[in-house]
Amino acid sequence: MALSRKFLSMFMLLSAFIATATQAAEPIEVFWEDLEPPGFSALPPEPVSDHQSTMAQAQPNAPVVKKYDGKLVKVPGFVVPLEGTDELTTEFLLVPFFGACVHVPPPASNQIIHVTFEEGVAVEFSSSPIWVTGVISTDGWQGDIASVGYSMKGAEIAPYSL
């Protein structure tokens, strides 16, 4: 009887530990509006054009939200590939709408995430959104096509679905 109580107590303790560890590993779902500080609007009044007939980024130094810095998050978006091979992408920009940074001016810097996958991941430029899971950082990134407010070490991608 004493042995079974001891076993039961250990089992309950182990179960509680496993449940807590499982919950801690779940990413926080973050949407683009969550990456804007309160009162900030990422929508510029109208596109900004430079003298070479190209569209420039209207808000390259937009403020970021530090609440998610260092957290495991899951963010939906569209891919703008930067580095990789035909099969694996090692670096891309995650943006809130299709064509951002390619066909239209880049959104505000707090609406772009620079994502890296050390080993590469099978993802391509597509009009279909994806979920990207990884640890996000408020360390920005500067590229030829845009200033970026967030960086992410990617862990997983998946097709977007609610």
Side-chain angles (χ1 to χ4, degrees), residues 97-148:
F97 54 90
F98 177 71
C101 302
V102 177
H103 303 297
V104 296
S109 58
N110 64 10
Q111 296 295 285
I112 308 173
I113 303 172
H114 176 250
V115 182
T116 57
F117 279 87
E118 194 171 310
E119 301 296 321
V121 65
V123 65
E124 58 188 57
F125 180 71
S126 167
S127 61
S128 299
I130 61 170
W131 283 106
V132 179
T133 301
V135 176
I136 198 166
S137 166
T138 54
D139 292 338
W141 179 84
Q142 181 67 44
D144 291 338
I145 60 175
S147 292
V148 177

Side-chain angles (χ1 to χ4, degrees), residues 59-114:
Q59 296 170 308
N61 297 309
V64 295
V65 175
K66 301 214 181 265
K67 167 180 171 178
Y68 302 107
D69 194 24
K71 305 276 196 240
L72 180 65
V73 299
K74 178 179 175 183
V75 184
F78 296 87
V79 171
V80 178
L82 297 174
E83 294 289 332
T85 66
D86 289 341
E87 295 82 30
L88 298 175
T89 301
T90 56
E91 182 180 0
F92 62 88
L93 299 180
L94 187 68
V95 294
F97 54 90
F98 177 71
C101 302
V102 177
H103 303 297
V104 296
S109 58
N110 64 10
Q111 296 295 285
I112 308 173
I113 303 172
H114 176 250

Side-chain angles (χ1 to χ4, degrees), residues 34-55:
D34 299 326
L35 299 175
E36 295 177 357
F40 176 82
S41 174
L43 298 175
E46 58 186 69
V48 178
S49 182
D50 67 17
H51 297 297
Q52 298 174 359
S53 298
T54 59
M55 302 304 274

